[in-house]
Amino acid sequence: MKYVNAGNGKMPLITLIAILSISLTINMPGLAVSPMLGKLRDIFHSSEMEAQLVTSLPNLFMIPIVLIAGKISTPSRQTAVLMTGLITFLVGGIGCFFATSMVALIVLGCLVGVGCGLVVPIAAGYISEWFMGKSRQADLGLKSTTSNAMVIVANIYVGIVAAHYWHAAFVVYLTPLIPLALIPFMTQKYVNKHRILNTAEDETHAAAISGNGEAKAPYHFQGSTSTWMLVSLICLYMFLTYATTSISYYAPFCMEHFGMSTTEVGIVTAMYYLMCAVCGAVVTPLKKIFGKNTLFISLALCAAGLFGIGFTHNFWVYFFSSLITGFGYGIIQPIIYNKTTYVAPNRKLGTQYFGYVLSANYVSIMMVPFVDSAARKIFHSTLPTFEFIFSGGVVVVLLIWALIKHKNYVFAINPASAAPTPEEIAAVTAK
């Protein structure tokens, strides 16, 4: 049997693969239909609002379900919750093959959202529970890579088949079959039987070599400190995701306004997700390159990319702007996941805290059109690129906040340690 480093010992490789397979599903709700909303509107002679509900309502349903799943997914219930979520997702997905109306697609899409909401916290919770230190950071990066890569593959597939047979696009809703087949390799019973834990002597030796206490049990923030840091992580994740999601929401309309083709729109959007996927896989070495300024540089790149689209009308500028926005966001996303594991008061509450943080992702997606519409009215803007300029400004505010609070663990980056250092702990608890 092949093993991988788990930070506190070794874990079967098949278990890591099984855990990562859950992330194949977490960005799926609404994705299958988003590239063909116009086609569905024409097929069913529906309104634009009805077509948008096929995409937006599943994400709305996910928000409370993610919170509930994070709370009920204790170690003894994780497998049951995971199976329930995957089966619910699969049933809704299969139903879409036989849908003959827009209402049916909306209802079945919501069922898919409910199923997906149940598995979202567990996808990160398993990694938080069974991996430690740098291994946890690396695997959370792989989690981001897996989910974002699936977005790219699904978009390409749906774009190709939807023009010929729109029902075939819902094949992407069959992805739960993969983690369902691998569930036996990620149960508590299987992991406890097959993983190899370090002895006390091994941990002491590892800590001496690394020069920090990563091999030992890491510190977890407690009480009100834990709560406020959780709120900070949620705000950072929610507003950054809201800002960068502008590329998916508005690039098609903006680029069409300036005479660019749908192919060019697809390329620009894909570049964002591509860089998110790439950076998730290499977040650890990138932290070493950028050092303590990793978060600040990443936020600055996101802002620069959004402003690049907002102030220009050129395809190649859009291309590279999308790349650097995805680069910045792709670094920050797994870092936020990793910090959540230490902000949680203990490892058992890690999945619940992930539920809170990950729900911010779906809240941010839902708020994009409403916030941007309100902002456009407030500023009385008629610019076709206003949303990108406004989103860039939001990221600048996040950057200023991060610079002011640079000593706080939420924003501090230590390339040598994935866990909080004594200095980072003191900077927060002393207040």
Side-chain angles (χ1 to χ4, degrees), residues 162-177:
H164 306 288
Y165 181 55
W166 66 269
H167 274 109
F170 292 101
V171 166
V172 297
Y173 278 176
L174 301 183
T175 50
L177 287 171

Side-chain angles (χ1 to χ4, degrees), residues 247-392:
I247 293 177
S248 295
Y249 263 86
Y250 299 110
F253 306 106
C254 171
M255 295 175 69
E256 181 183 9
H257 177 82
F258 293 116
M260 299 181 206
S261 68
T262 54
T263 300
E264 289 174 321
V265 172
I267 292 172
V268 167
T269 305
M271 289 305 100
Y272 170 75
Y273 289 108
L274 175 63
M275 289 310 297
C276 287
V278 170
C279 291
V282 294
V283 64
T284 299
L286 287 173
K287 283 173 62 179
K288 291 180 179 179
I289 293 172
F290 297 135
K292 294 182 178 180
N293 296 317
T294 299
L295 195 68
F296 313 132
I297 293 172
S298 299
L299 286 170
L301 288 172
C302 289
L306 292 168
F307 284 137
I309 297 175
F311 289 110
T312 59
H313 313 142
N314 180 273
F315 167 73
W316 287 108
V317 175
Y318 285 9
F319 178 92
F320 289 108
S321 293
S322 183
L323 274 178
I324 65 172
T325 303
F327 185 86
Y329 184 80
I331 295 173
I332 295 175
Q333 188 178 49
I335 289 176
I336 289 176
Y337 293 163
N338 183 65
K339 288 182 180 292
T340 302
T341 64
Y342 298 109
V343 167
N346 54 62
R347 292 177 69 185
K348 289 184 179 179
L349 288 174
T351 301
Q352 183 175 338
Y353 269 52
F354 270 118
Y356 296 139
V357 171
L358 293 170
S359 65
N361 178 70
Y362 304 102
V363 172
S364 64
I365 293 172
M366 287 298 301
M367 64 189 268
V368 169
F370 303 104
V371 173
D372 287 341
S373 177
R376 183 179 279 274
K377 290 180 180 178
I378 291 171
F379 290 98
H380 305 288
S381 176
T382 57
L383 288 173
T385 58
F386 169 80
E387 289 80 9
F388 294 100
I389 298 171
F390 182 75
S391 295

Side-chain angles (χ1 to χ4, degrees), residues 27-345:
N27 284 335
M28 287 294 103
L31 180 63
V33 295
S34 59
M36 57 174 182
L37 288 181
K39 186 177 181 65
L40 289 177
R41 182 184 57 190
D42 295 337
I43 291 172
F44 296 114
H45 306 290
S46 62
S47 67
E48 184 175 334
M49 175 59 71
E50 287 177 314
Q52 289 176 337
L53 286 176
V54 179
T55 300
S56 60
L57 269 188
N59 287 285
L60 178 62
F61 270 73
M62 286 181 69
I63 296 169
I65 300 300
V66 168
L67 294 173
I68 294 170
K71 193 168 184 63
I72 66 175
S73 297
T74 59
S76 61
R77 297 174 181 169
Q78 279 177 334
T79 301
V81 174
L82 177 61
M83 287 188 66
T84 301
L86 292 173
I87 292 173
T88 302
F89 189 129
L90 189 60
V91 169
I94 292 174
C96 289
F97 285 97
F98 306 99
T100 56
S101 70
M102 189 68 81
V103 173
L105 284 177
I106 292 172
V107 172
L108 290 167
C110 291
L111 185 62
V112 169
V114 170
C116 187
L118 288 171
V119 308
V120 163
I122 298 176
Y126 274 153
I127 297 175
S128 173
E129 180 182 354
W130 291 330
F131 294 84
M132 292 181 64
K134 294 179 179 178
S135 296
R136 178 189 288 166
Q137 174 73 88
D139 292 336
L140 286 169
L142 289 175
K143 173 195 173 299
S144 297
T145 295
T146 303
S147 59
N148 286 308
M150 189 62 198
V151 173
I152 300 170
V153 173
N155 271 307
I156 293 173
Y157 169 77
V158 172
I160 293 173
V161 304
H164 306 288
Y165 181 55
W166 66 269
H167 274 109
F170 292 101
V171 166
V172 297
Y173 278 176
L174 301 183
T175 50
L177 287 171
I178 300 174
L180 273 172
L182 295 173
I183 277 182
F185 301 106
M186 48 181 153
T187 62
Q188 293 281 338
K189 182 178 179 180
Y190 182 88
V191 173
N192 290 329
K193 180 179 179 181
H194 293 90
R195 68 175 174 174
I196 303 172
L197 293 175
N198 287 339
T199 62
E201 291 78 6
D202 291 334
E203 293 185 359
T204 302
H205 178 66
I209 293 174
S210 65
N212 58 57
E214 271 195 48
K216 298 178 181 179
Y219 180 88
H220 287 259
F221 294 94
Q222 306 295 321
S224 60
T225 300
S226 171
T227 302
W228 281 111
M229 295 182 78
L230 172 64
V231 171
S232 296
L233 284 172
I234 289 173
C235 289
L236 174 62
Y237 191 30
M238 181 171 65
F239 286 106
L240 182 62
T241 301
Y242 149 77
T244 58
T245 300
S246 297
I247 293 177
S248 295
Y249 263 86
Y250 299 110
F253 306 106
C254 171
M255 295 175 69
E256 181 183 9
H257 177 82
F258 293 116
M260 299 181 206
S261 68
T262 54
T263 300
E264 289 174 321
V265 172
I267 292 172
V268 167
T269 305
M271 289 305 100
Y272 170 75
Y273 289 108
L274 175 63
M275 289 310 297
C276 287
V278 170
C279 291
V282 294
V283 64
T284 299
L286 287 173
K287 283 173 62 179
K288 291 180 179 179
I289 293 172
F290 297 135
K292 294 182 178 180
N293 296 317
T294 299
L295 195 68
F296 313 132
I297 293 172
S298 299
L299 286 170
L301 288 172
C302 289
L306 292 168
F307 284 137
I309 297 175
F311 289 110
T312 59
H313 313 142
N314 180 273
F315 167 73
W316 287 108
V317 175
Y318 285 9
F319 178 92
F320 289 108
S321 293
S322 183
L323 274 178
I324 65 172
T325 303
F327 185 86
Y329 184 80
I331 295 173
I332 295 175
Q333 188 178 49
I335 289 176
I336 289 176
Y337 293 163
N338 183 65
K339 288 182 180 292
T340 302
T341 64
Y342 298 109
V343 167

